[in-house]
Each structure stands twice: as structure tokens, then as C-alpha cells.
Amino acid sequence: MSWLRHHAHNSSSLSGNWRIPDAFGAPAKVGGLEPQRQAAFRLLAMIPVREVRPAPDQVGTCASVLEPLYHVLAAERLHGDDTTVPVLARGKIQIGRIWTYVRDDRPFGGPAPPAAVFYYSRDRRGDHPQNHLANYAGILQADAYGGYGKLYEPGRGPGTIVEAACWVHARRNFFVLADLTRNAQRKAQSLPSTRSGGRTPPVVSPLALEAVRRIDALFDIERTINGYGADQRKAVRQQRSAPLVADLKAWMREQRAKLSRANDVAKAMNYLLKRWAAFTRFLDDGRICLSNNAAERALRGIALGRKSWLFAGSDRGGQRAAVMYSLIITAKMNDVDPQAWLANVLARIAGHSVHRIDELLPWNWRSSVPASRAA
């Protein structure tokens, strides 16, 4: 909350000059955006903020006003993921990245409200998540992206980050080999024609089918304890999930020994076995989820948005997009209409005391406005 401390010494309110940012990332098809998102972009351009020197960048100014939202990183457990975002650069399109970190404690009945924060970067270098999480200590649920590796190193300051792997990613590797339709397409593209002119018939791996069945059994157990307290979840997992996990490991080791190193099923098994500690950490900690779906859901809107705005107009446009997604997705996660929330907050923020800025966050907003205005 460094922003709050800075302004507390200078003023008792947020009254200040109005700055109007440039258009959001030069969208190619503004008409293709849904009305809610169009309204959100227009509202961002009306945010009343103080002059912040020496940083004249308008996105940075807006981010300063909205900094209280970023305390999502003060969480026991985070979901992390990233996706691509096309960026216009001197007449060509480059591929940037949007990173998200999501706090969602609802699966284990945690008291913290759900929230998401997004960051933009020009590339996917590992130093980006290391900078994003420089002050974080806790559990990180993510895929096996190598850029996270240094975050898990022992002795890291300010504290340890514990890796929790995603079983959905592990299952997906097997599911592709067990999916008849997708497998048929993959085989048809790679295998030669037969003498009769047809393609070699696809073969669905029985080992992949069995792996999917075993992993699905774990998810079946998880559905019965969703929303339970962390201790209850751990107890059920120790009783019901742990034996299944032990059997899965023994079965994979037995089958893996019979397969060649280049076999696709062997590669899927190795993905699990090489990260076994991270995959099985959920057995001893009821806060950990089996999947990283919370982060993937947060990024879903970006995949849909790419079909509407096509690309960000610049790096600054990508940064602006990250700010907007942080606001909109967090509001949605708290069952708050983003347009109604932004309109109300922007109408109040100029005269709102910095000492009560938390009232404007989505999870507190409903109780701070009359019901008729929040509806």
C-alpha cells in the first residue's frame, strides 16, 4: 500500500487534476467489442487522478490510483498463467504476453475475496514472473514453465514459494492420445497413405485411456470436497486420494519401463513423474487445488478479445489492457457488474478519502453504496 502511504502525507482526499489517457491500444474493431467492455474503456479515460511526477505516462498514473487492487499478491496461494497478445510495432505484429496472478480461496472456504492482477510484457523471459512475484511468499499453482524455476529455489528472499503443479495439464497430455477424434486427425496428418489410397487407421492408446481414468478418479473426489475447509479437504485426500495417487505412480513406473523414450505416452508419464513432489503436494495441504483453472478462466476473456481488437497498438496499449483486465475480471469474480462499479467509483473517487480507499474495491463496494445504485 505504498501509494496510500504516499498520498496520506499530502492530502486527505483524491481530489486532483483530470487526465485523459490515449485510446486503448488502437483497437482494430471497436464495434466488435461487447457493450460492457466498450463502456469500461470509456470510463478509464475519465479517471480523475493527481499529477504524478516524474512519470508522465498516463497508464502509470492510472495504475497509481488503482494500486490498492494489487494487494491480491498478499495471499497464501496464487494461481499463475500467461497468454499471448499481438502488439503492433513499426508496421509489423509482435507477440507480447499478458500474465495473470489470481487469488481464489473459495475452493477451501478461505475468507479472502477473489481477485486477479494482470501484467503485460514484450516477451516471455523468466525474469518477468520473478519481478512480478519479487515480494511474494506462499504457494504458486502454475504449469511447468521454466521461467518459474528460480522462484522455487531454496533460500529465496523474502520467503519461500512452494510449487503446486496442475493435474489438468498432466491429464491433457494423456487425453490428446486418448481422444479418438483428435487422435484420428493427428495420425491422418502424419501417417502415409495405404496402397488402397486410404490413411492408416488411428490407434487410441489404451495406456493413455487408463491414465485419464485414474486421474479422473482424483477429480471425482475433489468435487465432493469443494468449498470445505482446508483441514477437511486434507483429511479426505489422505484417506481417499493418497492410495489412488500411490497406485498411479506404481502403475506409471511399471508401464514406462516397457515403452521407448520417444513414445508419446512415455513423455506424458515423464511429465508427471519428474515433477511428482509438486503434483502430490495437494495431499498434505488442503488449500491447494488440483487444477490451475482459476488462472485459465481469468485469461479466457483475452482469448475472446483477440478476435475483437486484434492487437494492442503499442507496449503502452498492452499495459493499459492489463490494467483494464485487472479491474474487470476482479469485479466479475466478486459478482459485481464492472460497468456499474467503474461508473460509481469514478463518480466518487475525486472526493473520497484515501483512508477509506478500500471501500471502493469490488468486494467492499456493494456495502458502501445504496442498493438502488449498486443494482
Side-chain angles (χ1 to χ4, degrees):
M1 295 283 184
S2 59
W3 178 84
L4 291 179
R5 289 194 295 270
H6 169 75
H7 283 278
H9 292 295
N10 292 279
S11 175
S12 60
S13 74
L14 296 179
S15 302
N17 297 327
W18 289 77
R19 299 289 301 277
I20 302 179
D22 298 336
F24 170 82
K29 295 193 300 182
V30 175
L33 296 174
E34 59 267 30
Q36 185 181 79
R37 198 177 301 170
Q38 288 188 49
F41 294 156
R42 289 194 297 269
L43 289 166
L44 180 65
M46 299 171 59
I47 292 180
V49 296
R50 283 187 175 278
E51 294 286 347
V52 177
R53 295 186 176 91
D57 181 80
Q58 294 152 341
V59 174
T61 307
C62 294
S64 295
V65 170
L66 301 168
E67 186 177 352
L69 178 65
Y70 287 14
H71 79 282
V72 59
L73 297 184
E76 299 177 4
R77 178 181 62 93
L78 289 176
H79 293 268
D81 204 354
D82 66 286
T83 191
T84 59
V85 54
V87 183
L88 186 63
R90 294 189 178 183
K92 63 180 181 179
I93 299 295
Q94 296 183 342
I95 303 301
R97 309 296 298 194
I98 290 286
W99 308 78
T100 189
Y101 303 96
V102 177
R103 178 181 68 195
D104 191 351
D105 296 345
R106 290 172 292 185
F108 64 90
V117 63
F118 292 77
Y119 296 98
Y120 164 81
S121 67
R122 173 67 71 88
D123 50 49
R124 206 191 183 206
R125 297 197 317 269
D127 59 337
H128 296 304
Q130 292 160 27
N131 291 334
H132 300 158
L133 302 177
N135 297 315
Y136 175 71
I139 300 166
L140 177 62
Q141 298 215 223
D143 59 23
Y145 166 55
Y148 295 131
K150 289 189 176 181
L151 295 172
Y152 308 133
E153 292 179 351
R156 170 192 173 273
T160 303
I161 292 183
V162 178
E163 179 186 11
C166 174
W167 282 86
V168 169
H169 281 80
R171 180 187 183 277
R172 194 173 294 153
N173 294 333
F174 293 109
F175 183 79
V176 169
L177 302 173
D179 185 336
L180 181 60
T181 301
R182 188 174 300 179
N183 197 47
Q185 295 173 347
R186 186 173 63 91
K187 293 291 184 182
Q189 293 171 359
S190 61
L191 294 178
S193 301
T194 62
R195 290 183 179 180
S196 61
R199 294 285 182 177
T200 304
V203 178
V204 175
S205 169
L207 292 178
L209 280 171
E210 176 62 14
V212 170
R213 185 193 68 79
R214 288 171 178 262
I215 294 173
D216 283 350
L218 295 175
F219 280 98
D220 289 340
I221 296 172
E222 288 300 302
R223 293 186 187 97
T224 68
I225 58 176
N226 188 44
Y228 285 26
D231 291 339
Q232 290 175 289
R233 285 158 62 90
K234 177 181 175 180
V236 173
R237 288 168 173 175
Q238 289 288 331
Q239 180 181 6
R240 300 177 57 190
S241 300
L244 299 182
V245 169
D247 289 345
L248 174 62
K249 182 179 183 181
W251 174 79
M252 285 196 300
R253 282 184 167 175
E254 179 184 357
Q255 300 302 324
R256 173 65 186 83
K258 303 174 185 178
L259 302 172
S260 70
R261 183 178 302 178
N263 185 281
D264 289 337
V265 176
K267 293 177 181 178
M269 290 179 175
N270 286 338
Y271 179 85
L272 257 170
L273 292 171
K274 289 180 179 179
R275 303 168 178 84
W276 195 248
F279 275 107
T280 57
R281 194 156 278 130
F282 79 100
L283 295 173
D284 299 313
D285 193 329
R287 297 170 299 174
I288 296 175
C289 294
L290 251 66
S291 76
N292 196 33
N293 286 349
E296 294 191 4
R297 283 193 299 268
L299 291 172
R300 189 174 299 159
I302 297 177
L304 296 174
R306 283 194 294 257
K307 299 178 181 179
S308 297
W309 42 261
L310 299 186
F311 54 82
S314 63
D315 287 337
R316 188 167 63 177
Q319 295 162 357
R320 203 170 285 131
V323 171
M324 287 309 306
Y325 278 116
S326 297
L327 295 171
I328 293 172
I329 298 302
T330 297
K332 287 184 174 181
M333 292 178 71
N334 287 273
D335 297 321
V336 170
D337 176 11
Q339 182 175 352
W341 172 61
L342 284 169
N344 179 264
V345 168
L346 292 174
R348 301 165 57 196
I349 195 169
H352 198 84
S353 170
V354 296
H355 303 294
R356 296 185 293 110
I357 195 68
D358 283 358
E359 294 176 1
L360 303 182
L361 295 171
W363 48 84
N364 296 327
W365 175 72
R366 285 189 182 277
S367 60
S368 66
V369 297
S372 59
R373 295 174 63 185

